[in-house]
Amino acid sequence: MCLSIPSKVVSVDREKNSAVVDTMGVKREAGLDLMEEGSVNIDDYVLIHIGFVMNKIDEEDALESLKVYHEILAKMDEEERSRVVLEDDNCENRGAP
Amino acid sequence: MSELKLKDLYDGFRDPATIRMLAAQIGEEAKALHEPLRIMEVCGGHTHTIMKYGLPQLLPDNIDFIHGPGCPVCIMPKERIDHAIALARMEDTILVTLGDMIRVPGSQSSLAAERAAGRDIRPLYTPMDALKIAKENPDKRVVFFAIGFETTTPMTAALLHAVVTQKVDNLYFHINHVLVPPAIDAIMSDGQAKINAFIGPSHVSVITGAKIYAPLPQKYGTPVVVCGFEPVDVMQGILMAVRQQKEGRAELEIEYSRSVTMEGNVKAQQLIDMYLQPRSHFRWRGIGDIPDSALELRDEFAYLDAEKVFAEVLPTEPIDDHKLCICGTILKGLAKPMECKVFGTACTPNSPLGSCMVSSEGACNAYYRYAGVLG
């Protein structure tokens, strides 16, 4: 019911006060009645809910979150690799067939 | 990553490795919790995510989800569905509503059954389609049965604005818009509920701003974290709640900061305020009457209000759920769906006896679908 889908603005019709958005490859029209005049522009990321643009997604903020996750994952990978190397160094059965 | 792609907004927040990484962090940090974290996700959208991605299985035993009442279809009392049916049965009437509402049974029938019997009932993709239907059918009256939490209310207000400014004279409104904070108060106020943390709704908060939850941490001593709907968002939100509880804090935090601010969408709020006012009482299915928990049309728009204009055809008798249904207890975290005598036997998604089974956002329905109950 409240699941709104992130979409990208493809075009804006100021006359009709609506926008065409791309939602994962599907083009749809969405009303701009809930948005301040001129606030929605081409290439903006927005949330659509039952035919209306609800807000603009803060691109910087989304990127920042994803970057933090990537960094932690990379660090975990590194720790995992170090652990494997360390275990290998301490292997008691070295030379076993 | 220097430029955001649309795909990142989906995949980035559903990434299995990130979910597992957050689960490991939560597992580690939850060891220091003084008491189990019993966290209520208020919104049905979150319930759906939690069950669909099997998040409970990734979390330690001292973190427990309590599924909240945030599903507009589930909380609709039968007498209001009976209203929709009575309106649809009027001569020369087209009843329009959002799709979720069509299947839900009232006391005797459902909109789906009425449609099968020949009534003109149409599900909408967007409320604006109601305007088109009204203009295409000038000799009929169109009634918009409006449902939803704060997320959906501004779209009804936008339709109202169009009807008033364009002087459309054959479109009426039956308003069932409900509010999140009074429902939380209703669940918490008797002191029985076991909830000690909240995941705040995603898209309600986009509209209202996170400010509507500001009183909760103080009133109930619980952390409130406003989260997005993706599984990574929910896991990150739980981690934030765990940290709050560990450090003895009870604060309002926003995890979903890419879409939610403290203030929300002010233009949408103004539009709602122009056309709608608080309703003194609304009966929630599964909870009961909650004062000031819903909205109604402002008095000056009484001429558009289906409840006033067609009052003579609307039943007034309140109808409660089956006495064996324990949905109210489940909502307070005092019982799990499986503890209900009728769960999965007399009460199933195809023939729900109580509100928690009505839609896929309800706790019992989600358990039935995702918790291996089907074998």
Side-chain angles (χ1 to χ4, degrees):
Chain A
M1 183 73 215
C2 306
L3 294 173
S4 312
I5 310 173
S7 308
K8 193 170 187 170
V9 178
V10 178
S11 64
V12 178
D13 185 335
R14 301 278 175 221
E15 197 62 38
K16 278 173 70 184
N17 199 28
S18 71
V20 173
V21 299
D22 170 357
T23 312
M24 294 304 270
V26 181
K27 300 272 191 296
R28 301 185 300 170
E29 197 179 346
L32 295 176
D33 308 55
L34 308 179
M35 303 302 287
E36 293 296 345
E37 207 169 310
S39 65
V40 175
N41 299 295
I42 291 173
D43 288 345
D44 280 351
Y45 290 103
V46 293
L47 285 172
I48 305 292
H49 181 57
I50 55 170
F52 290 84
V53 174
M54 279 173 83
N55 76 331
K56 276 168 58 167
I57 297 170
D58 185 331
E59 215 169 315
E60 288 302 312
D61 189 289
L63 274 172
E64 185 55 35
S65 301
L66 293 170
K67 198 171 114 217
V68 169
Y69 295 137
H70 281 296
E71 281 169 4
I72 299 173
L73 282 169
K75 195 162 156 284
M76 276 174 69
D77 280 353
E78 203 178 316
E79 282 170 6
E80 181 68 12
R81 280 198 299 274
S82 311
R83 199 176 55 75
V84 171
V85 169
L86 196 68
E87 276 177 8
D88 188 57
D89 284 349
N90 298 334
C91 180
E92 291 169 8
N93 292 339
R94 201 172 297 279
Chain B
M1 206 189 318
S2 58
E3 197 193 331
L4 190 67
K5 303 267 192 302
L6 189 54
K7 209 167 164 310
D8 298 330
L9 286 172
Y10 297 86
D11 298 353
F13 293 96
R14 292 178 190 177
D15 174 48
T18 308
I19 296 170
R20 279 199 301 274
M21 177 265 288
L22 288 166
Q25 274 187 310
I26 293 166
E28 195 49 47
E29 299 206 21
K31 288 175 186 165
L33 287 175
H34 321 300
E35 60 168 332
L37 191 73
R38 291 179 300 272
I39 191 161
M40 170 174 269
E41 86 286 1
V42 180
C43 180
H46 280 133
T47 305
H48 198 79
T49 296
I50 287 163
M51 299 308 282
K52 182 177 170 185
Y53 289 91
L55 302 187
Q57 287 87 317
L58 299 174
L59 294 168
D61 288 345
N62 62 346
I63 296 180
D64 190 21
F65 286 112
I66 293 160
H67 309 297
C71 150
V73 175
C74 310
I75 61 95
M76 190 71 62
K78 284 182 182 169
E79 64 263 25
R80 306 288 294 179
I81 298 168
D82 287 353
H83 276 201
I85 290 164
L87 292 165
R89 285 177 177 174
M90 294 191 305
E91 286 298 304
D92 298 324
T93 302
I94 303 170
L95 186 108
V96 294
T97 187
L98 295 170
D100 318 38
M101 209 59 237
I102 301 276
R103 236 177 26 88
V104 186
S107 66
Q108 313 284 330
S109 178
S110 69
L111 289 171
E114 294 296 311
R115 194 164 53 152
R119 309 285 171 199
D120 196 344
I121 295 164
R122 306 185 193 181
L124 301 176
Y125 158 67
T126 168
M128 278 308 180
D129 289 345
L131 194 65
K132 206 163 121 234
I133 293 168
K135 286 177 176 173
E136 286 168 357
N137 296 277
D139 55 337
K140 294 203 168 158
R141 60 167 89 91
V142 178
V143 182
F144 176 49
F145 190 78
I147 62 165
F149 281 85
E150 291 93 329
T151 324
T152 313
T153 312
M155 293 73 183
T156 297
L159 176 62
L160 274 158
H161 190 64
V163 166
V164 170
T165 51
Q166 297 175 34
K167 297 189 172 58
V168 177
D169 66 356
N170 63 331
L171 179 52
Y172 300 88
F173 292 76
H174 188 287
I175 302 286
N176 301 275
H177 286 300
V178 283
L179 306 169
V180 166
I184 294 179
D185 281 333
I187 287 168
M188 296 298 282
S189 60
D190 68 2
Q192 283 190 331
K194 285 184 160 182
I195 299 151
N196 58 12
F198 286 97
I199 287 177
S202 317
H203 295 143
V204 161
S205 313
V206 167
I207 298 296
T208 62
K211 64 179 185 297
I212 64 166
Y213 317 110
L216 297 178
Q218 214 164 4
K219 242 197 282 195
Y220 305 115
T222 54
V224 179
V225 184
V226 176
C227 285
F229 274 136
E230 300 299 344
V232 166
D233 289 316
V234 176
M235 294 299 268
Q236 178 66 37
I238 292 165
L239 185 59
M240 288 161 79
V242 166
R243 285 176 181 165
Q244 279 203 45
Q245 205 201 49
K246 231 171 56 174
E247 295 159 14
R249 293 182 290 123
E251 294 166 10
L252 168 59
E253 290 181 309
I254 303 174
E255 178 278 336
Y256 194 33
S257 49
R258 65 185 183 276
S259 282
V260 171
T261 59
M262 237 356 146
E263 305 71 45
N265 181 330
V266 175
K267 188 171 178 188
Q269 292 165 28
Q270 287 167 339
L271 200 58
I272 292 167
D273 198 42
M274 212 185 311
Y275 293 98
L276 300 166
Q277 62 189 19
R279 182 188 290 255
S280 62
H281 288 276
F282 194 86
R283 263 170 44 88
W284 292 51
R285 190 175 178 181
I287 301 179
D289 181 76
I290 308 177
D292 305 318
S293 62
L295 299 171
E296 63 185 8
L297 275 163
R298 286 193 170 281
D299 298 344
E300 59 263 45
F301 304 110
Y303 66 96
L304 298 172
D305 191 341
E307 285 186 77
K308 294 196 166 87
V309 178
F310 308 114
E312 78 275 8
V313 304
L314 301 178
T316 53
E317 193 61 37
I319 304 157
D320 286 317
D321 276 338
H322 195 283
K323 60 183 184 302
L324 285 175
C325 167
I326 60 165
C327 190
T329 318
I330 291 168
L331 291 175
K332 289 186 178 171
L334 301 172
K336 288 280 176 209
M338 284 76 142
E339 293 169 53
C340 177
K341 286 192 178 71
V342 288
F343 175 78
T345 51
C347 182
T348 64
N350 286 337
S351 62
L353 286 180
S355 67
C356 298
M357 191 60 95
V358 165
S359 107
S360 63
E361 294 184 358
C364 293
N365 189 301
Y367 265 65
Y368 189 90
R369 279 173 203 276
Y370 295 116
V373 178
L374 296 172

Coordinates of all heavy atoms in Angstrom, one line a residue, chain B residues 307-356:
Chain B
E307 N -20.5 10.2 3.3 CA -21.1 9.8 4.6 C -22.3 10.7 5.0 O -23.2 10.3 5.7 CB -20.1 9.8 5.7 CG -19.1 8.7 5.6 CD -18.1 8.7 6.8 OE1 -18.5 8.2 7.9 OE2 -17.0 9.1 6.6
K308 N -22.3 12.0 4.6 CA -23.3 12.9 4.9 C -24.4 12.9 3.8 O -25.6 12.8 4.1 CB -22.8 14.3 5.1 CG -21.8 14.4 6.3 CD -21.6 15.9 6.6 CE -20.9 16.0 8.0 NZ -19.5 16.0 7.9
V309 N -24.0 12.9 2.6 CA -24.9 13.0 1.5 C -25.8 11.8 1.4 O -27.0 11.9 1.1 CB -24.2 13.3 0.1 CG1 -25.1 13.4 -1.0 CG2 -23.4 14.6 0.2
F310 N -25.2 10.6 1.6 CA -25.9 9.3 1.4 C -26.1 8.6 2.8 O -26.3 7.4 2.8 CB -25.2 8.4 0.4 CG -24.8 9.1 -0.9 CD1 -23.5 9.3 -1.2 CD2 -25.8 9.5 -1.7 CE1 -23.2 10.0 -2.4 CE2 -25.5 10.2 -2.9 CZ -24.2 10.4 -3.3
A311 N -26.2 9.4 3.8 CA -26.3 8.9 5.2 C -27.5 7.9 5.3 O -27.3 6.9 6.0 CB -26.5 10.0 6.2
E312 N -28.6 8.1 4.6 CA -29.7 7.2 4.8 C -29.5 5.8 4.3 O -30.2 4.9 4.7 CB -31.0 7.8 4.2 CG -31.1 7.7 2.6 CD -30.4 8.8 1.9 OE1 -29.7 9.6 2.5 OE2 -30.6 8.8 0.7
V313 N -28.5 5.5 3.4 CA -28.3 4.2 3.0 C -27.2 3.5 3.7 O -26.9 2.3 3.5 CB -28.0 4.1 1.4 CG1 -29.1 4.7 0.6 CG2 -26.6 4.6 1.1
L314 N -26.5 4.2 4.7 CA -25.3 3.6 5.3 C -25.7 3.0 6.7 O -26.3 3.6 7.5 CB -24.3 4.7 5.5 CG -23.8 5.4 4.2 CD1 -22.8 6.5 4.6 CD2 -23.2 4.4 3.3
P315 N -25.2 1.7 6.9 CA -25.5 1.1 8.1 C -24.7 1.7 9.2 O -23.6 2.2 9.0 CB -25.0 -0.4 7.9 CG -24.1 -0.4 6.7 CD -24.5 0.8 5.9
T316 N -25.2 1.7 10.5 CA -24.5 2.4 11.6 C -24.0 1.4 12.6 O -23.3 1.8 13.6 CB -25.4 3.4 12.2 OG1 -26.6 2.8 12.6 CG2 -25.7 4.6 11.3
E317 N -24.3 0.1 12.5 CA -24.0 -0.8 13.6 C -22.5 -1.2 13.5 O -22.0 -1.7 12.5 CB -24.9 -2.1 13.3 CG -24.9 -3.1 14.5 CD -25.5 -2.5 15.8 OE1 -26.4 -1.7 15.7 OE2 -24.9 -2.8 16.8
P318 N -21.7 -1.0 14.6 CA -20.4 -1.5 14.6 C -20.3 -3.0 14.6 O -21.1 -3.7 15.3 CB -19.8 -0.9 15.9 CG -20.9 -0.5 16.8 CD -22.1 -0.4 15.9
I319 N -19.3 -3.6 13.9 CA -19.2 -5.1 13.8 C -17.8 -5.5 14.2 O -16.9 -5.1 13.6 CB -19.5 -5.5 12.3 CG1 -20.9 -5.0 11.9 CG2 -19.4 -7.0 12.2 CD1 -21.0 -4.9 10.4
D320 N -17.8 -6.3 15.2 CA -16.5 -6.7 15.7 C -16.0 -8.0 15.0 O -16.8 -8.7 14.4 CB -16.5 -6.9 17.2 CG -16.5 -5.6 17.9 OD1 -15.7 -4.7 17.5 OD2 -17.3 -5.5 18.9
D321 N -14.7 -8.4 15.1 CA -14.2 -9.6 14.6 C -14.7 -10.8 15.4 O -15.2 -10.6 16.5 CB -12.7 -9.6 14.5 CG -12.2 -8.8 13.3 OD1 -13.0 -8.7 12.3 OD2 -11.1 -8.4 13.3
H322 N -14.4 -12.0 14.9 CA -14.7 -13.2 15.5 C -14.1 -13.2 16.9 O -13.0 -12.8 17.1 CB -14.1 -14.4 14.7 CG -14.7 -15.7 15.1 ND1 -14.2 -16.4 16.2 CD2 -15.6 -16.5 14.5 CE1 -14.9 -17.5 16.3 NE2 -15.7 -17.6 15.2
K323 N -14.8 -13.7 17.9 CA -14.3 -13.6 19.3 C -13.0 -14.5 19.5 O -12.3 -14.2 20.5 CB -15.4 -14.0 20.3 CG -16.0 -15.4 20.2 CD -17.1 -15.6 21.2 CE -17.6 -17.0 21.2 NZ -18.2 -17.4 19.9
L324 N -12.8 -15.4 18.7 CA -11.5 -16.2 18.8 C -10.3 -15.5 18.3 O -9.2 -15.9 18.6 CB -11.7 -17.6 18.2 CG -12.6 -18.6 18.9 CD1 -12.7 -19.9 18.1 CD2 -12.0 -19.0 20.3
C325 N -10.5 -14.5 17.5 CA -9.4 -13.7 16.9 C -8.6 -13.0 18.0 O -9.2 -12.3 18.8 CB -9.9 -12.8 15.8 SG -8.7 -11.6 15.3
I326 N -7.2 -13.1 18.0 CA -6.4 -12.5 19.0 C -5.5 -11.4 18.4 O -4.5 -11.1 19.0 CB -5.6 -13.5 19.8 CG1 -4.6 -14.2 18.9 CG2 -6.5 -14.5 20.6 CD1 -3.5 -15.0 19.7
C327 N -6.0 -10.8 17.3 CA -5.2 -9.8 16.6 C -4.7 -8.7 17.5 O -3.6 -8.3 17.5 CB -6.0 -9.3 15.4 SG -4.9 -8.3 14.4
G328 N -5.6 -8.2 18.4 CA -5.3 -7.1 19.3 C -4.2 -7.4 20.2 O -3.3 -6.6 20.5
T329 N -4.1 -8.7 20.7 CA -3.1 -9.2 21.5 C -1.8 -9.3 20.8 O -0.7 -9.0 21.3 CB -3.5 -10.6 22.1 OG1 -4.9 -10.5 22.5 CG2 -2.7 -11.0 23.3
I330 N -1.8 -9.8 19.5 CA -0.7 -9.9 18.7 C 0.0 -8.5 18.4 O 1.2 -8.4 18.5 CB -1.0 -10.6 17.3 CG1 -1.4 -12.1 17.6 CG2 0.1 -10.5 16.3 CD1 -2.0 -12.8 16.4
L331 N -0.9 -7.5 18.2 CA -0.4 -6.2 17.9 C 0.4 -5.6 19.1 O 1.2 -4.7 19.0 CB -1.5 -5.3 17.6 CG -2.2 -5.5 16.2 CD1 -3.4 -4.6 16.0 CD2 -1.2 -5.3 15.1
K332 N 0.1 -6.1 20.3 CA 0.8 -5.6 21.5 C 2.0 -6.4 21.8 O 2.7 -6.1 22.8 CB -0.2 -5.6 22.7 CG -1.3 -4.6 22.6 CD -2.1 -4.5 23.9 CE -3.1 -3.3 23.7 NZ -4.1 -3.3 24.7
G333 N 2.3 -7.4 21.0 CA 3.5 -8.2 21.3 C 3.3 -9.2 22.4 O 4.2 -9.8 22.9
L334 N 2.0 -9.5 22.8 CA 1.7 -10.4 23.9 C 1.5 -11.8 23.4 O 1.4 -12.7 24.1 CB 0.5 -9.9 24.7 CG 0.6 -8.5 25.3 CD1 -0.7 -8.1 25.9 CD2 1.7 -8.5 26.3
A335 N 1.4 -12.0 22.0 CA 1.2 -13.3 21.5 C 1.7 -13.3 20.0 O 1.8 -12.3 19.4 CB -0.3 -13.7 21.5
K336 N 2.0 -14.5 19.5 CA 2.4 -14.7 18.1 C 1.3 -15.3 17.4 O 0.4 -16.0 18.0 CB 3.6 -15.6 18.1 CG 4.9 -15.0 18.6 CD 5.6 -14.1 17.6 CE 6.8 -13.4 18.1 NZ 7.0 -12.1 17.5
P337 N 1.2 -15.1 16.1 CA 0.1 -15.6 15.3 C -0.2 -17.1 15.5 O -1.3 -17.5 15.7 CB 0.5 -15.4 13.8 CG 1.4 -14.1 13.9 CD 2.1 -14.2 15.2
M338 N 0.9 -17.9 15.6 CA 0.7 -19.3 15.8 C -0.1 -19.7 17.1 O -0.6 -20.8 17.3 CB 2.0 -20.1 15.9 CG 2.7 -20.3 14.6 SD 3.4 -18.7 14.0 CE 4.9 -19.4 13.3
E339 N -0.1 -18.7 18.1 CA -0.8 -19.0 19.3 C -2.3 -18.8 19.2 O -3.0 -19.1 20.2 CB -0.2 -18.1 20.4 CG 1.3 -18.4 20.8 CD 1.9 -17.3 21.7 OE1 1.3 -17.0 22.7 OE2 2.9 -16.8 21.3
C340 N -2.7 -18.4 18.1 CA -4.2 -18.2 17.9 C -4.8 -19.5 17.5 O -4.3 -20.2 16.7 CB -4.4 -17.1 16.8 SG -6.2 -16.8 16.5
K341 N -5.9 -19.8 18.2 CA -6.6 -21.1 18.0 C -7.1 -21.3 16.5 O -7.2 -22.4 16.0 CB -7.9 -21.2 18.9 CG -7.5 -21.4 20.3 CD -8.8 -21.8 21.1 CE -8.5 -22.1 22.6 NZ -8.2 -20.9 23.3
V342 N -7.4 -20.2 15.8 CA -8.0 -20.3 14.5 C -6.9 -20.0 13.4 O -7.2 -20.2 12.2 CB -9.2 -19.4 14.3 CG1 -10.4 -19.9 15.1 CG2 -8.9 -17.9 14.7
F343 N -5.7 -19.7 13.8 CA -4.6 -19.4 12.8 C -4.4 -20.6 11.8 O -4.1 -21.7 12.3 CB -3.3 -19.0 13.5 CG -2.2 -18.8 12.5 CD1 -2.1 -17.6 11.8 CD2 -1.2 -19.8 12.3 CE1 -1.0 -17.4 10.9 CE2 -0.1 -19.6 11.4 CZ -0.1 -18.4 10.7
G344 N -4.6 -20.3 10.5 CA -4.2 -21.3 9.5 C -5.3 -22.4 9.4 O -5.2 -23.3 8.6
T345 N -6.3 -22.4 10.3 CA -7.4 -23.4 10.2 C -8.7 -22.7 9.7 O -8.9 -22.6 8.5 CB -7.6 -24.2 11.5 OG1 -7.7 -23.2 12.6 CG2 -6.4 -25.0 11.8
A346 N -9.4 -22.1 10.7 CA -10.6 -21.4 10.3 C -10.2 -20.0 9.7 O -11.1 -19.4 9.1 CB -11.5 -21.2 11.5
C347 N -9.0 -19.5 10.0 CA -8.6 -18.2 9.6 C -7.4 -18.3 8.6 O -6.3 -18.6 9.1 CB -8.3 -17.3 10.8 SG -7.9 -15.6 10.4
T348 N -7.7 -18.0 7.3 CA -6.6 -18.1 6.3 C -6.7 -16.8 5.5 O -7.7 -16.1 5.5 CB -6.7 -19.3 5.4 OG1 -8.0 -19.2 4.7 CG2 -6.7 -20.6 6.2
P349 N -5.7 -16.6 4.6 CA -5.8 -15.4 3.8 C -7.0 -15.4 2.8 O -7.5 -14.4 2.5 CB -4.5 -15.4 2.9 CG -3.5 -16.2 3.8 CD -4.3 -17.2 4.6
N350 N -7.4 -16.6 2.4 CA -8.6 -16.7 1.6 C -9.9 -16.5 2.3 O -10.9 -16.1 1.7 CB -8.7 -18.0 0.8 CG -7.6 -18.0 -0.3 OD1 -7.2 -17.0 -0.7 ND2 -7.2 -19.2 -0.6
S351 N -9.9 -16.8 3.6 CA -11.1 -16.5 4.4 C -10.7 -16.0 5.8 O -10.7 -16.7 6.7 CB -12.0 -17.7 4.5 OG -11.4 -18.7 5.2
P352 N -10.3 -14.7 5.8 CA -9.8 -14.1 7.0 C -10.9 -13.9 8.1 O -11.9 -13.3 7.7 CB -9.1 -12.8 6.6 CG -9.9 -12.4 5.3 CD -10.3 -13.7 4.7
L353 N -10.6 -14.3 9.3 CA -11.6 -14.0 10.4 C -11.3 -12.6 11.0 O -12.1 -12.0 11.6 CB -11.6 -15.1 11.4 CG -12.2 -16.4 11.1 CD1 -12.1 -17.3 12.3 CD2 -13.7 -16.2 10.7
G354 N -10.0 -12.3 11.0 CA -9.5 -11.1 11.7 C -8.6 -10.3 10.9 O -8.1 -10.7 9.9
S355 N -8.3 -9.1 11.4 CA -7.6 -8.0 10.6 C -6.2 -8.4 10.3 O -5.7 -8.1 9.2 CB -7.6 -6.7 11.4 OG -6.9 -6.8 12.6
C356 N -5.5 -9.2 11.1 CA -4.1 -9.5 10.9 C -3.9 -10.5 9.7 O -2.8 -10.7 9.3 CB -3.4 -10.1 12.1 SG -3.4 -9.0 13.5

